[in-house]
PDB file of all heavy atoms in Angstrom:
ATOM      1  N   GLU A 218     -10.846  -1.935 -16.514  1.00  0.00           N
ATOM      2  CA  GLU A 218     -10.243  -1.742 -15.197  1.00  0.00           C
ATOM      3  C   GLU A 218      -9.115  -0.706 -15.207  1.00  0.00           C
ATOM      4  O   GLU A 218      -8.503  -0.444 -14.180  1.00  0.00           O
ATOM      5  CB  GLU A 218      -9.700  -3.079 -14.663  1.00  0.00           C
ATOM      6  CG  GLU A 218     -10.758  -4.120 -14.347  1.00  0.00           C
ATOM      7  CD  GLU A 218     -11.482  -3.840 -13.039  1.00  0.00           C
ATOM      8  OE1 GLU A 218     -10.899  -3.196 -12.156  1.00  0.00           O
ATOM      9  OE2 GLU A 218     -12.647  -4.263 -12.909  1.00  0.00           O
ATOM     10  N   ARG A 219      -8.848  -0.120 -16.364  1.00  0.00           N
ATOM     11  CA  ARG A 219      -7.764   0.851 -16.461  1.00  0.00           C
ATOM     12  C   ARG A 219      -8.075   2.127 -15.688  1.00  0.00           C
ATOM     13  O   ARG A 219      -9.230   2.481 -15.488  1.00  0.00           O
ATOM     14  CB  ARG A 219      -7.532   1.253 -17.927  1.00  0.00           C
ATOM     15  CG  ARG A 219      -6.782   0.254 -18.759  1.00  0.00           C
ATOM     16  CD  ARG A 219      -6.672   0.784 -20.188  1.00  0.00           C
ATOM     17  NE  ARG A 219      -6.350  -0.284 -21.118  1.00  0.00           N
ATOM     18  CZ  ARG A 219      -6.646  -0.275 -22.411  1.00  0.00           C
ATOM     19  NH1 ARG A 219      -7.285   0.766 -22.928  1.00  0.00           N
ATOM     20  NH2 ARG A 219      -6.311  -1.282 -23.169  1.00  0.00           N
ATOM     21  N   PHE A 220      -7.015   2.848 -15.366  1.00  0.00           N
ATOM     22  CA  PHE A 220      -7.126   4.173 -14.774  1.00  0.00           C
ATOM     23  C   PHE A 220      -7.812   5.096 -15.781  1.00  0.00           C
ATOM     24  O   PHE A 220      -7.561   5.018 -16.989  1.00  0.00           O
ATOM     25  CB  PHE A 220      -5.727   4.692 -14.450  1.00  0.00           C
ATOM     26  CG  PHE A 220      -5.675   6.098 -13.919  1.00  0.00           C
ATOM     27  CD1 PHE A 220      -6.044   6.376 -12.613  1.00  0.00           C
ATOM     28  CD2 PHE A 220      -5.231   7.140 -14.719  1.00  0.00           C
ATOM     29  CE1 PHE A 220      -5.975   7.669 -12.116  1.00  0.00           C
ATOM     30  CE2 PHE A 220      -5.151   8.434 -14.230  1.00  0.00           C
ATOM     31  CZ  PHE A 220      -5.531   8.696 -12.919  1.00  0.00           C
ATOM     32  N   ALA A 221      -8.673   5.973 -15.257  1.00  0.00           N
ATOM     33  CA  ALA A 221      -9.425   6.868 -16.142  1.00  0.00           C
ATOM     34  C   ALA A 221      -8.489   7.822 -16.883  1.00  0.00           C
ATOM     35  O   ALA A 221      -7.802   8.632 -16.262  1.00  0.00           O
ATOM     36  CB  ALA A 221     -10.435   7.666 -15.323  1.00  0.00           C
ATOM     37  N   GLY A 222      -8.463   7.702 -18.206  1.00  0.00           N
ATOM     38  CA  GLY A 222      -7.600   8.548 -19.020  1.00  0.00           C
ATOM     39  C   GLY A 222      -6.316   7.878 -19.455  1.00  0.00           C
ATOM     40  O   GLY A 222      -5.506   8.485 -20.159  1.00  0.00           O
ATOM     41  N   ALA A 223      -6.099   6.618 -19.055  1.00  0.00           N
ATOM     42  CA  ALA A 223      -4.875   5.899 -19.418  1.00  0.00           C
ATOM     43  C   ALA A 223      -5.073   5.060 -20.667  1.00  0.00           C
ATOM     44  O   ALA A 223      -6.176   4.601 -20.955  1.00  0.00           O
ATOM     45  CB  ALA A 223      -4.434   5.005 -18.260  1.00  0.00           C
ATOM     46  N   GLU A 224      -3.969   4.854 -21.384  1.00  0.00           N
ATOM     47  CA  GLU A 224      -3.984   3.913 -22.505  1.00  0.00           C
ATOM     48  C   GLU A 224      -3.661   2.505 -22.024  1.00  0.00           C
ATOM     49  O   GLU A 224      -4.159   1.522 -22.558  1.00  0.00           O
ATOM     50  CB  GLU A 224      -2.996   4.352 -23.585  1.00  0.00           C
ATOM     51  CG  GLU A 224      -3.427   5.623 -24.318  1.00  0.00           C
ATOM     52  CD  GLU A 224      -2.570   5.918 -25.536  1.00  0.00           C
ATOM     53  OE1 GLU A 224      -1.850   5.002 -26.006  1.00  0.00           O
ATOM     54  OE2 GLU A 224      -2.616   7.065 -26.018  1.00  0.00           O
ATOM     55  N   ASP A 225      -2.800   2.425 -21.018  1.00  0.00           N
ATOM     56  CA  ASP A 225      -2.476   1.142 -20.385  1.00  0.00           C
ATOM     57  C   ASP A 225      -2.248   1.368 -18.905  1.00  0.00           C
ATOM     58  O   ASP A 225      -1.643   2.380 -18.512  1.00  0.00           O
ATOM     59  CB  ASP A 225      -1.207   0.518 -20.985  1.00  0.00           C
ATOM     60  CG  ASP A 225      -1.460  -0.199 -22.299  1.00  0.00           C
ATOM     61  OD1 ASP A 225      -2.422  -0.980 -22.374  1.00  0.00           O
ATOM     62  OD2 ASP A 225      -0.685   0.039 -23.255  1.00  0.00           O
ATOM     63  N   THR A 226      -2.717   0.432 -18.084  1.00  0.00           N
ATOM     64  CA  THR A 226      -2.434   0.454 -16.652  1.00  0.00           C
ATOM     65  C   THR A 226      -1.721  -0.834 -16.276  1.00  0.00           C
ATOM     66  O   THR A 226      -2.240  -1.938 -16.496  1.00  0.00           O
ATOM     67  CB  THR A 226      -3.721   0.600 -15.822  1.00  0.00           C
ATOM     68  OG1 THR A 226      -4.236   1.928 -15.977  1.00  0.00           O
ATOM     69  CG2 THR A 226      -3.458   0.354 -14.341  1.00  0.00           C
ATOM     70  N   TYR A 227      -0.516  -0.679 -15.734  1.00  0.00           N
ATOM     71  CA  TYR A 227       0.257  -1.807 -15.223  1.00  0.00           C
ATOM     72  C   TYR A 227       0.010  -1.907 -13.716  1.00  0.00           C
ATOM     73  O   TYR A 227      -0.025  -0.892 -13.020  1.00  0.00           O
ATOM     74  CB  TYR A 227       1.745  -1.604 -15.493  1.00  0.00           C
ATOM     75  CG  TYR A 227       2.119  -1.691 -16.951  1.00  0.00           C
ATOM     76  CD1 TYR A 227       1.869  -0.634 -17.819  1.00  0.00           C
ATOM     77  CD2 TYR A 227       2.732  -2.830 -17.464  1.00  0.00           C
ATOM     78  CE1 TYR A 227       2.211  -0.708 -19.167  1.00  0.00           C
ATOM     79  CE2 TYR A 227       3.082  -2.919 -18.813  1.00  0.00           C
ATOM     80  CZ  TYR A 227       2.817  -1.850 -19.655  1.00  0.00           C
ATOM     81  OH  TYR A 227       3.150  -1.942 -20.989  1.00  0.00           O
ATOM     82  N   THR A 228      -0.149  -3.123 -13.234  1.00  0.00           N
ATOM     83  CA  THR A 228      -0.528  -3.307 -11.834  1.00  0.00           C
ATOM     84  C   THR A 228       0.309  -4.384 -11.166  1.00  0.00           C
ATOM     85  O   THR A 228       0.922  -5.234 -11.853  1.00  0.00           O
ATOM     86  CB  THR A 228      -2.024  -3.687 -11.734  1.00  0.00           C
ATOM     87  OG1 THR A 228      -2.415  -3.794 -10.365  1.00  0.00           O
ATOM     88  CG2 THR A 228      -2.311  -5.020 -12.406  1.00  0.00           C
ATOM     89  N   ILE A 229       0.361  -4.347  -9.835  1.00  0.00           N
ATOM     90  CA  ILE A 229       0.844  -5.487  -9.052  1.00  0.00           C
ATOM     91  C   ILE A 229      -0.311  -5.922  -8.156  1.00  0.00           C
ATOM     92  O   ILE A 229      -0.931  -5.110  -7.492  1.00  0.00           O
ATOM     93  CB  ILE A 229       2.116  -5.169  -8.237  1.00  0.00           C
ATOM     94  CG1 ILE A 229       1.905  -3.985  -7.282  1.00  0.00           C
ATOM     95  CG2 ILE A 229       3.306  -4.910  -9.145  1.00  0.00           C
ATOM     96  CD1 ILE A 229       3.054  -3.765  -6.298  1.00  0.00           C
ATOM     97  N   GLU A 230      -0.617  -7.216  -8.178  1.00  0.00           N
ATOM     98  CA  GLU A 230      -1.743  -7.773  -7.436  1.00  0.00           C
ATOM     99  C   GLU A 230      -1.231  -8.758  -6.388  1.00  0.00           C
ATOM    100  O   GLU A 230      -0.417  -9.637  -6.697  1.00  0.00           O
ATOM    101  CB  GLU A 230      -2.715  -8.481  -8.384  1.00  0.00           C
ATOM    102  CG  GLU A 230      -3.301  -7.586  -9.463  1.00  0.00           C
ATOM    103  CD  GLU A 230      -4.336  -6.600  -8.938  1.00  0.00           C
ATOM    104  OE1 GLU A 230      -5.040  -6.948  -7.962  1.00  0.00           O
ATOM    105  OE2 GLU A 230      -4.435  -5.491  -9.502  1.00  0.00           O
TER     106      GLU A 230
END
Side-chain angles (χ1 to χ4, degrees):
E218 293 283 334
R219 283 178 198 155
F220 176 76
E224 291 190 17
D225 280 313
T226 289
Y227 291 77
T228 183
I229 57 171
E230 300 287 328

